[in-house]
Amino acid sequence: MTPPPAEAAIASAGLAPAASREETPLRRFVADFAESKVAVGAFVVFVLIVLCAVFAPWIAPQDPYDLAQLDILDGRMPPGTMGGAGFTYILGTDDQGRDMFSGILYGLRISLMVGAGSAFIAFIVGTALGLLAAYFGGRTDTLIMRLVDLQLSFPSILVALMILAFLGKGILNVVIAIVAVEWAYYARTVRGTALVERRREYIEAAECLALSKPRIVFRHLLPNCLPPLIVILTMQVARAIALEATLSFLGLGVPVTEPSLGLLIANGYEYMLSGRYWISFYPGIALLVTIVVINLVGDQLRDVLNPRLRK
Amino acid sequence: MTVYLIRRLMQSALVVLAMTVILFLGVYAIGDPVEILISPEADQMERERAIAALGLDRPLWEQYVAFLGNALRGDLGRSFVFNEPALKLILQKMPATLELALAATVFAIVLGLPLGLIAGLKPEALYSRVIMAGSILGFSLPTFWVGLMLIMVFAVQLGWLPSTGRGPTAEFLGVQWSFLTADGLRYLIMPALNLSLFKISLVIRLTRAGVRETVLMDYVKFARAKGLSQNRVIFVHVLKNILIPVVTVTALEFGSTIAFSVVTESVFAWPGMGKLIIDSIYVLDRPVIVAYLMIIVFMFIVLNFTVDVLYSVLDPRVRLQDQKA
């Protein structure tokens, strides 16, 4: 908890050691995070991926959802071919003449949106239920935790399959399925942390001040339970992206008109056997890189936010 | 012990009951049961007759009791597509899936254990780091994409293995198995490897962690001090002790391997239950979907129950804690 190691970390990470600046929690957090070069690299790649997804309409040479821009004659062209529209298909085209590079950029948008969105909704639902269980205890606790146990005893794909079999495909239903799969992880973690935290003096102090229960739970208890939840949130975004891709590959996910990375890979499946690998290969690489960098960032976050590992 | 068994059994029965309610509501409340249970090709006359025959005009709870009664008698409805009992269809496809899952488990142990052992004995060596990086990839790579890449490399580019399907089978105990014919084995390799990817990574990590912990134990030091050969220390003293958690986790994972075979079977066109359920979802063959979910949920509950009972036999703390609660 003394400042020197953190300053050393700042210096070693190549950042300007600002001796005059005061140490804030945020600055220490950044310095700790920067200790791992791999994690910083992964974070940079992740930011680049997000930027690519956000600015896809300006980067991509083609709007892959606009059927008027697709030329069926350009279908299944290998990477590097000059297309009829006057630009090079650097990653080739799929069976409908869709530029794979543009398709991947737009697909990333959907994959990231569904992944981050559903992980965040699961975070809110799971955290709320976990806090309820921890703060009220007794019957509420037993009921919620039994549900968590039940949920976690079934594999994610089975739960998602069950929900999509009844609700049918579509982006919203995929989000519902992912939330149903992931909420339990947050609930269990936040309950464990909150049970420890609620015995601390500051909660007692808040109760002595006769603050309202919601105020104690959300303003005092919740902020102190956040660090482990942030780690789980990061990891679950990666899991959600993978699950969405898998469901879309199985044909249960997003609609064909707006392909995510998983659906792009599925589209290339039948052409794989005739050696046209690029339709499935490149979206898969994009998916893989996205998942791996998020996991690497999450790994480092876990080390940084774990108080037991703090020097 | 008996008290614990009965309690656990009752809990399991309750979960099964809860699942039937969920599935029932899934069919009868969310979807339109007429659309779900009656073939879309039926005309108005047939529809009305079917509604009466299925009792869809009766109150919901009565329908649920009928549904439950039929399910208990093993009647989970008839497939629209194949016009056969849904249960029979699924049971026919089950051996293929079981074979795939078993082969994946064998792969996980045969590949994961030695790799984990190597990585655990020399954690700082370059090859250990490579193995660990590989295991991280095994966790984060989407299974279906790896399957496609396997097909691309080994079937399309190299031509060593057949790309999809199950290949020839031979009969044993009244069931058809691939692994009994040489050609069937070639069909089995890629799907099994694909399905086992996650499990291999898991076994590697478990073994490595176990080895790193065990080599520091006093009894291992003592075995070394006695002058036993390195091989004997590793294979008898270390390996024996880490096998217990590894085998337990691998067995526990068997259920989720069967569930995840849905993905692998779709990639490799393996004719198992997983492929059947995906095909049934495409054509909205709901009786088959319901039957599949019932069977697999039931299987999971039996599996969890068995594991819990085994744990309580092996570890008295589990059942004592439960009695107090």
Side-chain angles (χ1 to χ4, degrees), chain A residues 150 153 155 158 165 249-250 252 265 269 277 280-281 284 287-288 295, chain B residues 140-142 144-145 148-149 152 259 266-267 281-282 286 296 300 304:
Chain A
L150 188 64
S153 65
L158 186 64
F249 172 78
L250 291 174
L252 306 173
I265 297 172
Y269 176 58
Y277 67 91
S280 284
F281 182 72
L287 183 65
L288 171 64
N295 277 333
Chain B
S140 33
L141 283 171
F144 68 96
W145 187 70
L148 287 178
M149 292 302 115
M152 187 181 92
S266 298
V267 173
I281 292 177
Y282 282 153
R286 304 268 180 144
I296 204 142
F300 259 94
N304 287 340

PDB file of all heavy atoms in Angstrom, chain A residues 150 153 155 158 165 249-250 252 265 269 277 280-281 284 287-288 295, chain B residues 140-142 144-145 148-149 152 259 266-267 281-282 286 296 300 304:
ATOM      1  N   LEU A 150     -29.227 -24.593  -9.446  1.00  0.00           N
ATOM      2  CA  LEU A 150     -29.916 -25.317 -10.504  1.00  0.00           C
ATOM      3  C   LEU A 150     -29.406 -24.863 -11.869  1.00  0.00           C
ATOM      4  O   LEU A 150     -29.059 -25.659 -12.734  1.00  0.00           O
ATOM      5  CB  LEU A 150     -31.417 -25.059 -10.385  1.00  0.00           C
ATOM      6  CG  LEU A 150     -32.295 -25.887 -11.308  1.00  0.00           C
ATOM      7  CD1 LEU A 150     -32.173 -27.348 -10.961  1.00  0.00           C
ATOM      8  CD2 LEU A 150     -33.737 -25.440 -11.207  1.00  0.00           C
ATOM      9  N   SER A 153     -25.943 -26.067 -12.721  1.00  0.00           N
ATOM     10  CA  SER A 153     -25.733 -27.497 -12.909  1.00  0.00           C
ATOM     11  C   SER A 153     -26.045 -27.932 -14.343  1.00  0.00           C
ATOM     12  O   SER A 153     -25.781 -29.056 -14.715  1.00  0.00           O
ATOM     13  CB  SER A 153     -26.557 -28.307 -11.912  1.00  0.00           C
ATOM     14  OG  SER A 153     -27.920 -28.128 -12.163  1.00  0.00           O
ATOM     15  N   PRO A 155     -25.314 -27.185 -18.464  1.00  0.00           N
ATOM     16  CA  PRO A 155     -24.371 -26.469 -19.323  1.00  0.00           C
ATOM     17  C   PRO A 155     -25.063 -25.361 -20.099  1.00  0.00           C
ATOM     18  O   PRO A 155     -26.252 -25.453 -20.421  1.00  0.00           O
ATOM     19  CB  PRO A 155     -23.836 -27.549 -20.266  1.00  0.00           C
ATOM     20  CG  PRO A 155     -24.786 -28.664 -20.186  1.00  0.00           C
ATOM     21  CD  PRO A 155     -25.475 -28.588 -18.872  1.00  0.00           C
ATOM     22  N   LEU A 158     -27.149 -25.970 -23.275  1.00  0.00           N
ATOM     23  CA  LEU A 158     -28.439 -26.637 -23.098  1.00  0.00           C
ATOM     24  C   LEU A 158     -29.515 -25.622 -22.719  1.00  0.00           C
ATOM     25  O   LEU A 158     -30.629 -25.646 -23.255  1.00  0.00           O
ATOM     26  CB  LEU A 158     -28.303 -27.718 -22.021  1.00  0.00           C
ATOM     27  CG  LEU A 158     -29.525 -28.582 -21.832  1.00  0.00           C
ATOM     28  CD1 LEU A 158     -29.793 -29.380 -23.081  1.00  0.00           C
ATOM     29  CD2 LEU A 158     -29.343 -29.506 -20.644  1.00  0.00           C
ATOM     30  N   ALA A 165     -35.391 -22.860 -28.497  1.00  0.00           N
ATOM     31  CA  ALA A 165     -36.310 -23.819 -29.109  1.00  0.00           C
ATOM     32  C   ALA A 165     -37.752 -23.339 -28.952  1.00  0.00           C
ATOM     33  O   ALA A 165     -38.584 -23.586 -29.806  1.00  0.00           O
ATOM     34  CB  ALA A 165     -36.135 -25.198 -28.482  1.00  0.00           C
ATOM     35  N   PHE A 249     -24.193 -19.946 -35.512  1.00  0.00           N
ATOM     36  CA  PHE A 249     -23.679 -20.985 -36.392  1.00  0.00           C
ATOM     37  C   PHE A 249     -24.688 -22.115 -36.525  1.00  0.00           C
ATOM     38  O   PHE A 249     -24.902 -22.656 -37.611  1.00  0.00           O
ATOM     39  CB  PHE A 249     -22.352 -21.532 -35.854  1.00  0.00           C
ATOM     40  CG  PHE A 249     -21.852 -22.727 -36.609  1.00  0.00           C
ATOM     41  CD1 PHE A 249     -21.236 -22.568 -37.840  1.00  0.00           C
ATOM     42  CD2 PHE A 249     -22.026 -24.009 -36.116  1.00  0.00           C
ATOM     43  CE1 PHE A 249     -20.791 -23.663 -38.550  1.00  0.00           C
ATOM     44  CE2 PHE A 249     -21.587 -25.100 -36.825  1.00  0.00           C
ATOM     45  CZ  PHE A 249     -20.970 -24.924 -38.047  1.00  0.00           C
ATOM     46  N   LEU A 250     -25.333 -22.457 -35.403  1.00  0.00           N
ATOM     47  CA  LEU A 250     -26.320 -23.537 -35.433  1.00  0.00           C
ATOM     48  C   LEU A 250     -27.605 -23.106 -36.132  1.00  0.00           C
ATOM     49  O   LEU A 250     -28.509 -23.921 -36.327  1.00  0.00           O
ATOM     50  CB  LEU A 250     -26.643 -23.986 -34.009  1.00  0.00           C
ATOM     51  CG  LEU A 250     -25.519 -24.706 -33.268  1.00  0.00           C
ATOM     52  CD1 LEU A 250     -25.923 -24.972 -31.826  1.00  0.00           C
ATOM     53  CD2 LEU A 250     -25.170 -26.007 -33.959  1.00  0.00           C
ATOM     54  N   LEU A 252     -29.638 -20.756 -34.917  1.00  0.00           N
ATOM     55  CA  LEU A 252     -30.650 -20.392 -33.931  1.00  0.00           C
ATOM     56  C   LEU A 252     -30.482 -18.961 -33.466  1.00  0.00           C
ATOM     57  O   LEU A 252     -31.197 -18.494 -32.596  1.00  0.00           O
ATOM     58  CB  LEU A 252     -30.540 -21.313 -32.706  1.00  0.00           C
ATOM     59  CG  LEU A 252     -30.577 -22.799 -32.980  1.00  0.00           C
ATOM     60  CD1 LEU A 252     -30.289 -23.572 -31.725  1.00  0.00           C
ATOM     61  CD2 LEU A 252     -31.948 -23.168 -33.511  1.00  0.00           C
ATOM     62  N   ILE A 265     -19.422 -17.405 -40.505  1.00  0.00           N
ATOM     63  CA  ILE A 265     -18.685 -18.665 -40.511  1.00  0.00           C
ATOM     64  C   ILE A 265     -19.586 -19.793 -41.026  1.00  0.00           C
ATOM     65  O   ILE A 265     -19.176 -20.616 -41.840  1.00  0.00           O
ATOM     66  CB  ILE A 265     -18.158 -18.989 -39.103  1.00  0.00           C
ATOM     67  CG1 ILE A 265     -17.164 -17.907 -38.673  1.00  0.00           C
ATOM     68  CG2 ILE A 265     -17.500 -20.362 -39.063  1.00  0.00           C
ATOM     69  CD1 ILE A 265     -16.724 -18.003 -37.245  1.00  0.00           C
ATOM     70  N   TYR A 269     -19.541 -22.660 -44.437  1.00  0.00           N
ATOM     71  CA  TYR A 269     -19.410 -24.089 -44.130  1.00  0.00           C
ATOM     72  C   TYR A 269     -19.449 -24.966 -45.371  1.00  0.00           C
ATOM     73  O   TYR A 269     -18.578 -25.781 -45.614  1.00  0.00           O
ATOM     74  CB  TYR A 269     -20.523 -24.480 -43.151  1.00  0.00           C
ATOM     75  CG  TYR A 269     -20.587 -25.937 -42.813  1.00  0.00           C
ATOM     76  CD1 TYR A 269     -19.489 -26.584 -42.247  1.00  0.00           C
ATOM     77  CD2 TYR A 269     -21.747 -26.676 -43.035  1.00  0.00           C
ATOM     78  CE1 TYR A 269     -19.548 -27.922 -41.913  1.00  0.00           C
ATOM     79  CE2 TYR A 269     -21.809 -28.009 -42.712  1.00  0.00           C
ATOM     80  CZ  TYR A 269     -20.719 -28.628 -42.158  1.00  0.00           C
ATOM     81  OH  TYR A 269     -20.780 -29.957 -41.834  1.00  0.00           O
ATOM     82  N   TYR A 277     -11.775 -21.740 -48.422  1.00  0.00           N
ATOM     83  CA  TYR A 277     -11.660 -21.654 -46.963  1.00  0.00           C
ATOM     84  C   TYR A 277     -11.962 -20.260 -46.429  1.00  0.00           C
ATOM     85  O   TYR A 277     -12.399 -20.095 -45.306  1.00  0.00           O
ATOM     86  CB  TYR A 277     -10.248 -22.056 -46.541  1.00  0.00           C
ATOM     87  CG  TYR A 277      -9.213 -21.072 -47.003  1.00  0.00           C
ATOM     88  CD1 TYR A 277      -8.851 -20.012 -46.174  1.00  0.00           C
ATOM     89  CD2 TYR A 277      -8.621 -21.163 -48.269  1.00  0.00           C
ATOM     90  CE1 TYR A 277      -7.938 -19.075 -46.601  1.00  0.00           C
ATOM     91  CE2 TYR A 277      -7.712 -20.236 -48.696  1.00  0.00           C
ATOM     92  CZ  TYR A 277      -7.366 -19.188 -47.862  1.00  0.00           C
ATOM     93  OH  TYR A 277      -6.481 -18.262 -48.282  1.00  0.00           O
ATOM     94  N   SER A 280     -15.132 -18.927 -44.244  1.00  0.00           N
ATOM     95  CA  SER A 280     -15.232 -19.258 -42.829  1.00  0.00           C
ATOM     96  C   SER A 280     -13.999 -18.831 -42.045  1.00  0.00           C
ATOM     97  O   SER A 280     -14.084 -18.519 -40.866  1.00  0.00           O
ATOM     98  CB  SER A 280     -15.404 -20.769 -42.643  1.00  0.00           C
ATOM     99  OG  SER A 280     -16.696 -21.155 -42.959  1.00  0.00           O
ATOM    100  N   PHE A 281     -12.846 -18.844 -42.713  1.00  0.00           N
ATOM    101  CA  PHE A 281     -11.586 -18.685 -41.999  1.00  0.00           C
ATOM    102  C   PHE A 281     -11.439 -17.303 -41.380  1.00  0.00           C
ATOM    103  O   PHE A 281     -11.208 -17.168 -40.175  1.00  0.00           O
ATOM    104  CB  PHE A 281     -10.427 -18.970 -42.961  1.00  0.00           C
ATOM    105  CG  PHE A 281      -9.078 -18.871 -42.317  1.00  0.00           C
ATOM    106  CD1 PHE A 281      -8.660 -19.851 -41.423  1.00  0.00           C
ATOM    107  CD2 PHE A 281      -8.233 -17.811 -42.590  1.00  0.00           C
ATOM    108  CE1 PHE A 281      -7.419 -19.777 -40.828  1.00  0.00           C
ATOM    109  CE2 PHE A 281      -6.981 -17.734 -41.987  1.00  0.00           C
ATOM    110  CZ  PHE A 281      -6.575 -18.714 -41.110  1.00  0.00           C
ATOM    111  N   GLY A 284     -13.678 -16.284 -38.498  1.00  0.00           N
ATOM    112  CA  GLY A 284     -13.262 -17.055 -37.329  1.00  0.00           C
ATOM    113  C   GLY A 284     -12.059 -16.429 -36.649  1.00  0.00           C
ATOM    114  O   GLY A 284     -11.993 -16.359 -35.421  1.00  0.00           O
ATOM    115  N   LEU A 287     -13.215 -13.463 -34.730  1.00  0.00           N
ATOM    116  CA  LEU A 287     -13.897 -13.920 -33.521  1.00  0.00           C
ATOM    117  C   LEU A 287     -12.877 -14.355 -32.475  1.00  0.00           C
ATOM    118  O   LEU A 287     -12.938 -13.970 -31.302  1.00  0.00           O
ATOM    119  CB  LEU A 287     -14.809 -15.094 -33.890  1.00  0.00           C
ATOM    120  CG  LEU A 287     -15.672 -15.695 -32.799  1.00  0.00           C
ATOM    121  CD1 LEU A 287     -16.676 -14.675 -32.324  1.00  0.00           C
ATOM    122  CD2 LEU A 287     -16.393 -16.923 -33.320  1.00  0.00           C
ATOM    123  N   LEU A 288     -11.913 -15.137 -32.925  1.00  0.00           N
ATOM    124  CA  LEU A 288     -10.896 -15.681 -32.029  1.00  0.00           C
ATOM    125  C   LEU A 288     -10.095 -14.559 -31.366  1.00  0.00           C
ATOM    126  O   LEU A 288      -9.918 -14.538 -30.152  1.00  0.00           O
ATOM    127  CB  LEU A 288      -9.971 -16.593 -32.841  1.00  0.00           C
ATOM    128  CG  LEU A 288      -8.732 -17.095 -32.128  1.00  0.00           C
ATOM    129  CD1 LEU A 288      -9.146 -17.957 -30.974  1.00  0.00           C
ATOM    130  CD2 LEU A 288      -7.872 -17.882 -33.086  1.00  0.00           C
ATOM    131  N   ASN A 295     -10.268 -11.971 -22.912  1.00  0.00           N
ATOM    132  CA  ASN A 295      -9.860 -12.852 -21.820  1.00  0.00           C
ATOM    133  C   ASN A 295      -8.532 -12.418 -21.212  1.00  0.00           C
ATOM    134  O   ASN A 295      -8.356 -12.493 -19.992  1.00  0.00           O
ATOM    135  CB  ASN A 295      -9.753 -14.298 -22.313  1.00  0.00           C
ATOM    136  CG  ASN A 295     -11.098 -14.990 -22.327  1.00  0.00           C
ATOM    137  OD1 ASN A 295     -11.982 -14.628 -21.551  1.00  0.00           O
ATOM    138  ND2 ASN A 295     -11.271 -15.954 -23.200  1.00  0.00           N
TER     139      ASN A 295
ATOM    140  N   SER B 140     -10.695 -20.755 -25.118  1.00  0.00           N
ATOM    141  CA  SER B 140     -11.354 -19.606 -25.742  1.00  0.00           C
ATOM    142  C   SER B 140     -11.735 -19.816 -27.210  1.00  0.00           C
ATOM    143  O   SER B 140     -12.550 -19.077 -27.730  1.00  0.00           O
ATOM    144  CB  SER B 140     -10.508 -18.334 -25.589  1.00  0.00           C
ATOM    145  OG  SER B 140      -9.148 -18.619 -25.601  1.00  0.00           O
ATOM    146  N   LEU B 141     -11.157 -20.826 -27.867  1.00  0.00           N
ATOM    147  CA  LEU B 141     -11.532 -21.044 -29.264  1.00  0.00           C
ATOM    148  C   LEU B 141     -12.970 -21.538 -29.355  1.00  0.00           C
ATOM    149  O   LEU B 141     -13.360 -22.442 -28.634  1.00  0.00           O
ATOM    150  CB  LEU B 141     -10.633 -22.115 -29.882  1.00  0.00           C
ATOM    151  CG  LEU B 141      -9.224 -21.714 -30.270  1.00  0.00           C
ATOM    152  CD1 LEU B 141      -8.436 -22.948 -30.640  1.00  0.00           C
ATOM    153  CD2 LEU B 141      -9.266 -20.768 -31.432  1.00  0.00           C
ATOM    154  N   PRO B 142     -13.759 -20.940 -30.253  1.00  0.00           N
ATOM    155  CA  PRO B 142     -15.102 -21.471 -30.447  1.00  0.00           C
ATOM    156  C   PRO B 142     -15.027 -22.862 -31.098  1.00  0.00           C
ATOM    157  O   PRO B 142     -14.405 -23.021 -32.147  1.00  0.00           O
ATOM    158  CB  PRO B 142     -15.756 -20.468 -31.400  1.00  0.00           C
ATOM    159  CG  PRO B 142     -14.797 -19.347 -31.550  1.00  0.00           C
ATOM    160  CD  PRO B 142     -13.462 -19.804 -31.117  1.00  0.00           C
ATOM    161  N   PHE B 144     -17.003 -24.766 -32.784  1.00  0.00           N
ATOM    162  CA  PHE B 144     -17.477 -25.026 -34.142  1.00  0.00           C
ATOM    163  C   PHE B 144     -16.464 -24.565 -35.187  1.00  0.00           C
ATOM    164  O   PHE B 144     -16.273 -25.203 -36.210  1.00  0.00           O
ATOM    165  CB  PHE B 144     -18.841 -24.356 -34.364  1.00  0.00           C
ATOM    166  CG  PHE B 144     -18.817 -22.863 -34.369  1.00  0.00           C
ATOM    167  CD1 PHE B 144     -18.751 -22.174 -35.552  1.00  0.00           C
ATOM    168  CD2 PHE B 144     -18.882 -22.155 -33.182  1.00  0.00           C
ATOM    169  CE1 PHE B 144     -18.743 -20.795 -35.563  1.00  0.00           C
ATOM    170  CE2 PHE B 144     -18.877 -20.772 -33.183  1.00  0.00           C
ATOM    171  CZ  PHE B 144     -18.801 -20.100 -34.378  1.00  0.00           C
ATOM    172  N   TRP B 145     -15.772 -23.457 -34.861  1.00  0.00           N
ATOM    173  CA  TRP B 145     -14.791 -22.950 -35.824  1.00  0.00           C
ATOM    174  C   TRP B 145     -13.582 -23.886 -35.895  1.00  0.00           C
ATOM    175  O   TRP B 145     -13.065 -24.169 -36.977  1.00  0.00           O
ATOM    176  CB  TRP B 145     -14.370 -21.527 -35.446  1.00  0.00           C
ATOM    177  CG  TRP B 145     -13.497 -20.893 -36.459  1.00  0.00           C
ATOM    178  CD1 TRP B 145     -13.868 -20.483 -37.701  1.00  0.00           C
ATOM    179  CD2 TRP B 145     -12.102 -20.644 -36.347  1.00  0.00           C
ATOM    180  NE1 TRP B 145     -12.785 -19.966 -38.359  1.00  0.00           N
ATOM    181  CE2 TRP B 145     -11.693 -20.047 -37.550  1.00  0.00           C
ATOM    182  CE3 TRP B 145     -11.161 -20.842 -35.330  1.00  0.00           C
ATOM    183  CZ2 TRP B 145     -10.383 -19.661 -37.773  1.00  0.00           C
ATOM    184  CZ3 TRP B 145      -9.855 -20.457 -35.542  1.00  0.00           C
ATOM    185  CH2 TRP B 145      -9.477 -19.871 -36.767  1.00  0.00           C
ATOM    186  N   LEU B 148     -14.444 -26.704 -38.109  1.00  0.00           N
ATOM    187  CA  LEU B 148     -14.337 -26.358 -39.531  1.00  0.00           C
ATOM    188  C   LEU B 148     -12.882 -26.367 -39.988  1.00  0.00           C
ATOM    189  O   LEU B 148     -12.548 -26.846 -41.075  1.00  0.00           O
ATOM    190  CB  LEU B 148     -14.932 -24.971 -39.779  1.00  0.00           C
ATOM    191  CG  LEU B 148     -16.448 -24.868 -39.725  1.00  0.00           C
ATOM    192  CD1 LEU B 148     -16.898 -23.440 -39.935  1.00  0.00           C
ATOM    193  CD2 LEU B 148     -17.048 -25.756 -40.799  1.00  0.00           C
ATOM    194  N   MET B 149     -11.996 -25.828 -39.126  1.00  0.00           N
ATOM    195  CA  MET B 149     -10.583 -25.776 -39.490  1.00  0.00           C
ATOM    196  C   MET B 149      -9.991 -27.183 -39.573  1.00  0.00           C
ATOM    197  O   MET B 149      -9.163 -27.471 -40.432  1.00  0.00           O
ATOM    198  CB  MET B 149      -9.803 -24.938 -38.472  1.00  0.00           C
ATOM    199  CG  MET B 149     -10.155 -23.466 -38.500  1.00  0.00           C
ATOM    200  SD  MET B 149      -9.892 -22.713 -40.120  1.00  0.00           S
ATOM    201  CE  MET B 149     -11.557 -22.295 -40.581  1.00  0.00           C
ATOM    202  N   MET B 152     -10.970 -28.500 -42.803  1.00  0.00           N
ATOM    203  CA  MET B 152     -10.220 -27.865 -43.875  1.00  0.00           C
ATOM    204  C   MET B 152      -8.826 -28.476 -44.007  1.00  0.00           C
ATOM    205  O   MET B 152      -8.380 -28.800 -45.103  1.00  0.00           O
ATOM    206  CB  MET B 152     -10.112 -26.368 -43.597  1.00  0.00           C
ATOM    207  CG  MET B 152      -9.492 -25.601 -44.725  1.00  0.00           C
ATOM    208  SD  MET B 152      -9.380 -23.877 -44.305  1.00  0.00           S
ATOM    209  CE  MET B 152      -7.759 -23.806 -43.598  1.00  0.00           C
ATOM    210  N   ALA B 259     -24.135 -32.558 -23.939  1.00  0.00           N
ATOM    211  CA  ALA B 259     -24.884 -31.372 -24.336  1.00  0.00           C
ATOM    212  C   ALA B 259     -24.146 -30.611 -25.445  1.00  0.00           C
ATOM    213  O   ALA B 259     -24.742 -30.176 -26.421  1.00  0.00           O
ATOM    214  CB  ALA B 259     -25.104 -30.460 -23.131  1.00  0.00           C
ATOM    215  N   SER B 266     -23.295 -31.052 -35.417  1.00  0.00           N
ATOM    216  CA  SER B 266     -23.740 -30.224 -36.544  1.00  0.00           C
ATOM    217  C   SER B 266     -22.598 -29.962 -37.510  1.00  0.00           C
ATOM    218  O   SER B 266     -22.801 -29.951 -38.722  1.00  0.00           O
ATOM    219  CB  SER B 266     -24.274 -28.878 -36.038  1.00  0.00           C
ATOM    220  OG  SER B 266     -25.383 -29.091 -35.228  1.00  0.00           O
ATOM    221  N   VAL B 267     -21.391 -29.744 -36.978  1.00  0.00           N
ATOM    222  CA  VAL B 267     -20.257 -29.460 -37.850  1.00  0.00           C
ATOM    223  C   VAL B 267     -19.915 -30.690 -38.689  1.00  0.00           C
ATOM    224  O   VAL B 267     -19.697 -30.596 -39.895  1.00  0.00           O
ATOM    225  CB  VAL B 267     -19.032 -29.025 -37.019  1.00  0.00           C
ATOM    226  CG1 VAL B 267     -17.806 -28.894 -37.914  1.00  0.00           C
ATOM    227  CG2 VAL B 267     -19.299 -27.722 -36.311  1.00  0.00           C
ATOM    228  N   ILE B 281     -35.447 -28.479 -34.554  1.00  0.00           N
ATOM    229  CA  ILE B 281     -35.748 -27.068 -34.307  1.00  0.00           C
ATOM    230  C   ILE B 281     -35.972 -26.347 -35.640  1.00  0.00           C
ATOM    231  O   ILE B 281     -36.867 -25.518 -35.767  1.00  0.00           O
ATOM    232  CB  ILE B 281     -34.625 -26.406 -33.484  1.00  0.00           C
ATOM    233  CG1 ILE B 281     -34.608 -26.976 -32.068  1.00  0.00           C
ATOM    234  CG2 ILE B 281     -34.815 -24.894 -33.416  1.00  0.00           C
ATOM    235  CD1 ILE B 281     -33.499 -26.448 -31.186  1.00  0.00           C
ATOM    236  N   TYR B 282     -35.174 -26.694 -36.656  1.00  0.00           N
ATOM    237  CA  TYR B 282     -35.341 -26.068 -37.975  1.00  0.00           C
ATOM    238  C   TYR B 282     -36.742 -26.276 -38.516  1.00  0.00           C
ATOM    239  O   TYR B 282     -37.357 -25.360 -39.040  1.00  0.00           O
ATOM    240  CB  TYR B 282     -34.348 -26.660 -38.981  1.00  0.00           C
ATOM    241  CG  TYR B 282     -32.948 -26.144 -38.858  1.00  0.00           C
ATOM    242  CD1 TYR B 282     -31.869 -26.922 -39.264  1.00  0.00           C
ATOM    243  CD2 TYR B 282     -32.693 -24.880 -38.331  1.00  0.00           C
ATOM    244  CE1 TYR B 282     -30.570 -26.462 -39.141  1.00  0.00           C
ATOM    245  CE2 TYR B 282     -31.406 -24.420 -38.212  1.00  0.00           C
ATOM    246  CZ  TYR B 282     -30.346 -25.204 -38.621  1.00  0.00           C
ATOM    247  OH  TYR B 282     -29.082 -24.755 -38.504  1.00  0.00           O
ATOM    248  N   ARG B 286     -41.792 -30.043 -32.762  1.00  0.00           N
ATOM    249  CA  ARG B 286     -41.745 -29.799 -31.317  1.00  0.00           C
ATOM    250  C   ARG B 286     -41.802 -31.039 -30.431  1.00  0.00           C
ATOM    251  O   ARG B 286     -41.150 -31.067 -29.403  1.00  0.00           O
ATOM    252  CB  ARG B 286     -42.856 -28.827 -30.892  1.00  0.00           C
ATOM    253  CG  ARG B 286     -42.805 -27.528 -31.636  1.00  0.00           C
ATOM    254  CD  ARG B 286     -41.975 -26.493 -30.917  1.00  0.00           C
ATOM    255  NE  ARG B 286     -41.978 -25.268 -31.689  1.00  0.00           N
ATOM    256  CZ  ARG B 286     -41.981 -24.042 -31.178  1.00  0.00           C
ATOM    257  NH1 ARG B 286     -41.971 -23.882 -29.886  1.00  0.00           N
ATOM    258  NH2 ARG B 286     -41.993 -22.994 -31.950  1.00  0.00           N
ATOM    259  N   ILE B 296     -32.606 -35.220 -21.741  1.00  0.00           N
ATOM    260  CA  ILE B 296     -31.298 -34.728 -21.354  1.00  0.00           C
ATOM    261  C   ILE B 296     -31.338 -34.091 -19.962  1.00  0.00           C
ATOM    262  O   ILE B 296     -30.409 -34.243 -19.164  1.00  0.00           O
ATOM    263  CB  ILE B 296     -30.728 -33.772 -22.432  1.00  0.00           C
ATOM    264  CG1 ILE B 296     -29.207 -33.740 -22.336  1.00  0.00           C
ATOM    265  CG2 ILE B 296     -31.278 -32.401 -22.342  1.00  0.00           C
ATOM    266  CD1 ILE B 296     -28.539 -33.671 -23.665  1.00  0.00           C
ATOM    267  N   PHE B 300     -29.228 -35.299 -16.708  1.00  0.00           N
ATOM    268  CA  PHE B 300     -28.412 -34.407 -15.885  1.00  0.00           C
ATOM    269  C   PHE B 300     -28.749 -34.542 -14.422  1.00  0.00           C
ATOM    270  O   PHE B 300     -27.872 -34.545 -13.561  1.00  0.00           O
ATOM    271  CB  PHE B 300     -28.612 -32.964 -16.318  1.00  0.00           C
ATOM    272  CG  PHE B 300     -27.498 -32.501 -17.155  1.00  0.00           C
ATOM    273  CD1 PHE B 300     -27.572 -32.582 -18.517  1.00  0.00           C
ATOM    274  CD2 PHE B 300     -26.337 -32.046 -16.567  1.00  0.00           C
ATOM    275  CE1 PHE B 300     -26.525 -32.196 -19.305  1.00  0.00           C
ATOM    276  CE2 PHE B 300     -25.274 -31.660 -17.348  1.00  0.00           C
ATOM    277  CZ  PHE B 300     -25.371 -31.738 -18.717  1.00  0.00           C
ATOM    278  N   ASN B 304     -26.184 -35.607 -11.596  1.00  0.00           N
ATOM    279  CA  ASN B 304     -25.886 -34.775 -10.429  1.00  0.00           C
ATOM    280  C   ASN B 304     -26.180 -35.515  -9.136  1.00  0.00           C
ATOM    281  O   ASN B 304     -25.431 -35.416  -8.168  1.00  0.00           O
ATOM    282  CB  ASN B 304     -26.712 -33.482 -10.468  1.00  0.00           C
ATOM    283  CG  ASN B 304     -26.204 -32.533 -11.526  1.00  0.00           C
ATOM    284  OD1 ASN B 304     -25.063 -32.651 -11.965  1.00  0.00           O
ATOM    285  ND2 ASN B 304     -27.042 -31.620 -11.947  1.00  0.00           N
TER     286      ASN B 304
END
